[in-house]
Amino acid sequence: MANEEDDPVVQEIKPKQQKVELEMAIDTLNPNYCRSKGEQIALNVDGACADESSTYSSKLMDKQTFCSSQSTSNTARYAAALYRQGELHLTPLHGILQLRPSFSYLDKADAKHREREAANEAGDSSQDEAEEDVKQITVRFSRPESEQARQRRVQSYEFLQKKHAEEPWVHLHYYGLRDSRSEHERQYLLCQGSSGVENTELVKSPSEYLMMLMPPSPEEEKDKPVAPSNVLSMAQLRTLPLADQIKILMKNVKVMPFANLMSLLGPSIDSVAVLRGIQKVAMLVQGNWVVKSDILYPKDSSSPHSGVPAEVLCRGRDFVMWKFTQSRWVVRKEVAAVTKLCTEDVKDFLEHMAVVRINKGWEFILPYDGEFIKKHPDVVQRQHMLWSGIQAKLEKVYNLVKETLPKKPDGQSGPAGLVSGDQRVQAARSKAQQNHALLERELQRRKEQVRASMVLPGVRIKEEPVSEEGEEEEEQEAEDEEPMDTSLGGGLHSRLANGLPGGRAAGGDSFNGHPPPGCAGTPVARELRAFVEATFQRQFVLTLSELKRLFNLHLASLPPGHTLFSGISDRMLQDTVLAAGCKQILVPFPPQTAASPDEQKVFALWESGDMSDQHRQVLLEIFSKNYRVRRNMIQSRLTQECGEDLSKQEVDKVLKDCCVSYGGMWYLKGTVQS
């Protein structure tokens, strides 16, 4: 520049290691400044006595230090732009620093506090001692410092901090935005050449000129990860080889239909190449592709929950995948019992490929893809052979009873080793129709035996025809006697109906597990009565739905062949609850409630033998007329009925036994609908 010599450089500041500290004054007269807080900070930092070494000589925090940090490692791609008179002037940047508040004064306050504490302790000890003991001092001469030791000392943190503290401050003067000096400095950002001849060489296309202006940085490309750990960039993904694209997608998604995979990879990708690549990183389950276990759990990894090595985790996850080739449902307890893995690991396996259904188990997350099965039978056959090998390995490791994969019948659209839900329903219906006539004959024979045993000698029983009204009542009663589903598997393939084999379900002295009247003293009734009494002693209020859930859990904990596996109907369970001293509370549910019929049947223990029985009975009577109640209403009603001022602890105990709070209102347990 022409006038560059008239404006010589007075001082050039080159920050060491790209670190700058800027100390700025604070306007202590500003109304937003808290003077008491500033005095307190100055007192904590400098103490009561101010000297030359004090941070705040005015005994007031009147300045703030800002410390720089490097905002980016490569500044060659950045420039300062100034737009003026239709022209864009760019100036390259050689360094970018970001200033942040420094709180080093807090470290000084902590140091002052420790010094005061040490001085107080030393003063106390000197008062206790009459005179100090004479101690022997050993004098040692330091060895000459080697060059290697000197380099380590120079590069140490303490040395750098000391050098940084010794560096003198450079006083700066601030010029405002409209100041003439600022305007003069801003002129340096403008190109001083004429806009004529120099720009005629820029004949390249905009994209080429942009590439020249901002070339790709080799360092950033080198440091760029191959694939993000949690977020996928599709633009970056498509720059990778096809095998890596498939592996990254399957590792992130874990379960995917083949059609979705093709749509993500793009229409220009050959499906045959994708089929070859997907079989290297995934297995076919119900027509969908599930990522292999060794992709998720590499060789040297371990479980974050239990520390189990990757080999054991892969075996457990393969077992879960194999179970889903047999059925759409898997029970977590069965998987944990076989694999001997902790609950968190098993839950991780299932969450990769299934969703939980209440009171049913874990269902495979995607529907069965029959279209892929029909279109690629060769791939299905190859996957069937792989699963046969995995099954043999699992049977050997886990000592499983040998189960052969079901063969695919002619015309079946499903894959080998998979029976669809519709096929299970059809099989169950046909089996029920075959056994219907046999069950009817067996039931009639047992009725005749009971009738013959009740006939006395010389007495004839007159049989009257049953009216249509009586037949309807019997049909309604039979519907009420429908047995409760207490099977552990929950699948249609189960050979047990309420715990009994199909051929024995109608045998014995009970039908569908409901014993005839007068059988209250049977072992089944006694066991059921004991379960009901123990359950209601722990939980005073239960819906029928919750009681059935607890009963299913109780059955799961019993050994095989227990008497309760003989089958328990809903009506038998309700009769046992009423016989155990409980009462049904007719809670007035709102008309728009989403509660099921079993959730609307509420039972409560009426008398437990403790001091709170009367309080609970008053509370239950309140909820027999109200679906939800406020606490003050419950408090006043209890005081009115019991004739005494109840303490807060007694009211809390009654509410804890029977109710739950939601949205400021109180509901009986199990009745709240969020």
Side-chain angles (χ1 to χ4, degrees):
M1 297 180 185
N3 57 352
E4 198 173 38
E5 296 179 357
D6 298 337
D7 188 17
V9 177
V10 178
Q11 184 177 8
E12 183 178 357
I13 301 176
K14 294 184 178 180
K16 298 178 180 179
Q17 298 184 352
Q18 296 293 325
K19 188 173 183 180
V20 175
E21 284 190 353
L22 180 64
E23 188 178 89
M24 300 182 65
I26 299 178
D27 185 7
T28 58
L29 301 179
N30 192 289
N32 296 324
Y33 181 80
C34 181
R35 191 173 185 86
S36 61
K37 195 70 175 178
E39 293 176 351
Q40 183 63 43
I41 293 176
L43 180 63
N44 294 339
V45 173
D46 297 328
C49 300
D51 51 16
E52 295 180 356
S53 62
S54 299
T55 304
Y56 305 110
S57 58
S58 62
K59 297 186 179 180
L60 194 68
M61 183 180 178
D62 54 359
K63 56 186 176 181
Q64 173 70 56
T65 303
F66 292 85
C67 184
S68 69
S69 61
Q70 193 171 2
S71 58
T72 179
S73 59
N74 183 13
T75 59
R77 303 181 63 180
Y78 296 90
L82 185 64
Y83 185 78
R84 177 170 293 185
Q85 297 179 358
E87 296 177 345
L88 182 65
H89 300 259
L90 298 177
T91 302
L93 299 179
H94 299 286
I96 302 176
L97 296 179
Q98 182 179 13
L99 293 175
R100 296 181 179 179
S102 174
F103 301 98
S104 57
Y105 60 88
L106 296 178
D107 298 334
K108 295 181 180 179
D110 293 340
K112 287 282 186 181
H113 180 68
R114 287 193 293 269
E115 289 177 2
R116 286 194 295 267
E117 287 186 346
N120 293 335
E121 292 178 0
D124 295 340
S125 61
S126 63
Q127 293 177 4
D128 296 337
E129 297 178 359
E131 61 179 280
E132 294 185 0
D133 296 336
V134 178
K135 295 182 180 179
Q136 183 179 1
I137 299 176
T138 303
V139 179
R140 293 182 181 179
F141 296 94
S142 60
R143 297 178 181 178
E145 186 179 26
S146 63
E147 181 64 23
Q148 186 177 6
R150 191 189 68 81
Q151 291 180 358
R152 285 199 302 268
R153 181 176 59 82
V154 170
Q155 295 176 359
S156 65
Y157 176 77
E158 294 181 358
F159 183 82
L160 294 177
Q161 286 293 101
K162 183 179 179 181
K163 294 289 290 183
H164 176 69
E166 293 175 353
E167 186 176 354
W169 287 95
V170 178
H171 295 278
L172 303 177
H173 183 73
Y174 174 74
Y175 295 95
L177 181 64
R178 302 300 179 185
D179 192 272
S180 60
R181 181 61 183 263
S182 299
E183 184 66 28
H184 179 73
E185 292 291 336
R186 195 156 46 245
Q187 293 296 323
Y188 292 147
L189 299 178
L190 298 176
C191 180
Q192 303 298 323
S194 62
S195 58
V197 183
E198 287 84 355
N199 296 335
T200 57
E201 298 180 1
L202 300 177
V203 294
K204 297 182 179 295
S205 63
S207 59
E208 291 175 338
Y209 176 66
L210 185 63
M211 184 63 66
M212 293 172 58
L213 184 64
M214 295 181 61
S217 173
E219 295 181 0
E220 291 188 3
E221 290 185 353
K222 182 179 179 181
D223 296 339
K224 186 181 298 182
V226 176
S229 59
N230 55 350
V231 178
L232 281 177
S233 171
M234 297 305 296
Q236 179 185 346
L237 183 70
R238 286 180 176 144
T239 61
L240 302 176
L242 179 61
D244 293 339
Q245 294 185 45
I246 297 173
K247 181 178 179 180
I248 293 171
L249 284 172
M250 291 306 303
K251 187 175 181 179
N252 281 268
V253 182
K254 297 181 178 60
V255 183
M256 190 187 305
F258 186 75
N260 290 14
L261 180 62
M262 290 298 301
S263 64
L264 290 173
L265 294 175
S268 61
I269 304 299
D270 183 18
S271 61
V272 178
V274 176
L275 274 176
R276 285 198 298 266
I278 190 65
Q279 295 182 69
K280 298 178 181 178
V281 297
M283 296 290 292
L284 190 66
V285 178
Q286 301 190 22
N288 302 281
W289 291 98
V290 182
V291 64
K292 289 184 177 180
S293 301
D294 54 0
I295 301 296
L296 295 180
Y297 303 107
K299 186 175 181 181
D300 297 331
S301 63
S302 60
S303 168
H305 306 293
S306 59
V308 173
E311 182 182 359
V312 180
L313 293 177
C314 290
R315 281 203 303 264
R317 190 173 180 275
D318 288 344
F319 176 74
V320 175
M321 293 170 62
W322 174 75
K323 291 292 290 183
F324 276 119
T325 64
Q326 310 298 302
S327 172
R328 285 198 61 83
W329 297 91
V330 166
V331 181
R332 180 177 57 83
K333 288 187 177 180
E334 178 185 351
V335 176
V338 173
T339 60
K340 302 296 189 298
L341 293 173
C342 69
T343 305
E344 290 78 7
D345 289 334
V346 176
K347 190 176 180 181
D348 283 349
F349 300 158
L350 293 170
E351 287 177 344
H352 290 169
M353 63 192 82
V355 291
V356 64
R357 306 294 185 192
I358 299 177
N359 295 334
K360 291 185 178 181
W362 290 79
E363 184 184 13
F364 193 69
I365 194 170
L366 294 178
Y368 165 69
D369 191 355
E371 182 179 354
F372 179 85
I373 300 297
K374 294 178 182 178
K375 192 174 180 180
H376 305 282
D378 53 337
V379 177
V380 174
Q381 182 62 27
R382 191 179 303 113
Q383 289 291 311
H384 173 54
M385 296 173 62
L386 292 175
W387 277 120
S388 299
I390 293 175
Q391 179 189 2
K393 186 184 300 183
L394 293 174
E395 289 173 352
K396 182 178 180 181
V397 172
Y398 293 129
N399 297 323
L400 302 177
V401 179
K402 187 166 182 62
E403 298 176 15
T404 57
L405 290 169
K407 297 181 180 180
K408 183 170 74 172
D410 296 335
Q412 179 180 337
S413 61
L418 176 66
V419 181
S420 65
D422 293 339
Q423 294 169 355
R424 295 182 186 278
V425 173
Q426 293 295 338
R429 285 178 178 173
S430 60
K431 186 176 181 180
Q433 292 174 358
Q434 295 173 3
N435 294 336
H436 180 70
L438 179 63
L439 294 175
E440 286 290 342
R441 289 195 298 270
E442 182 70 17
L443 178 62
Q444 188 64 29
R445 182 180 65 82
R446 293 198 173 274
K447 284 184 177 180
E448 291 175 358
Q449 290 179 357
V450 173
R451 188 182 298 111
S453 62
M454 295 176 64
V455 175
L456 298 177
V459 179
R460 298 179 60 188
I461 299 177
K462 178 181 178 181
E463 297 184 2
E464 296 182 356
V466 180
S467 62
E468 295 180 359
E469 181 179 357
E471 292 178 353
E472 293 177 358
E473 292 177 357
E474 290 182 0
E475 291 176 359
Q476 182 65 32
E477 183 177 356
E479 292 177 358
D480 293 339
E481 296 289 327
E482 182 178 355
M484 178 179 63
D485 182 14
T486 59
S487 60
L488 299 179
L492 294 171
H493 63 283
S494 177
R495 298 181 180 179
L496 298 180
N498 287 340
L500 275 179
R504 293 169 51 198
D509 296 330
S510 62
F511 177 66
N512 280 343
H514 190 184
C519 295
T522 60
V524 177
R526 289 194 297 269
E527 288 288 338
L528 183 61
R529 175 72 175 265
F531 163 75
V532 169
E533 290 178 350
T535 302
F536 275 92
Q537 285 293 336
R538 294 192 303 268
Q539 305 183 36
F540 293 91
V541 177
L542 286 171
T543 62
L544 181 59
S545 174
E546 179 66 9
L547 183 61
K548 289 164 64 174
R549 187 187 70 83
L550 295 175
F551 183 68
N552 282 334
L553 294 176
H554 179 63
L555 285 180
S557 65
L558 296 177
H562 196 274
T563 56
L564 284 181
F565 283 100
S566 59
I568 304 297
S569 67
D570 287 2
R571 183 168 180 178
M572 183 177 180
L573 184 61
Q574 296 180 60
D575 292 343
T576 306
V577 170
L578 297 176
C582 301
K583 288 189 177 182
Q584 183 174 358
I585 310 301
L586 302 178
V587 179
F589 283 83
Q592 68 276 13
T593 181
S596 63
D598 285 351
E599 291 175 341
Q600 296 185 31
K601 293 181 180 180
V602 184
F603 297 90
L605 182 62
W606 196 251
E607 294 182 356
S608 63
D610 59 8
M611 301 295 293
S612 302
D613 280 346
Q614 183 182 3
H615 304 157
R616 277 193 295 268
Q617 293 170 11
V618 174
L619 183 65
L620 295 174
E621 289 177 359
I622 295 175
F623 281 101
S624 64
K625 300 177 182 179
N626 303 275
Y627 173 62
R628 55 182 183 179
V629 189
R630 293 190 179 276
R631 181 187 174 94
N632 55 3
M633 178 181 175
I634 298 174
Q635 182 89 30
S636 60
R637 183 68 181 275
L638 286 173
T639 304
Q640 178 183 353
E641 294 292 333
C642 299
E644 55 182 345
D645 293 331
L646 297 177
S647 63
K648 182 179 182 298
Q649 290 76 11
E650 292 176 322
V651 177
D652 290 342
K653 181 182 184 306
V654 175
L655 291 175
K656 182 179 179 182
D657 291 343
C658 305
C659 305
V660 292
S661 176
Y662 183 80
M665 304 294 289
W666 288 88
Y667 303 78
L668 276 185
K669 288 184 177 179
T671 63
V672 59
Q673 300 295 320
S674 57

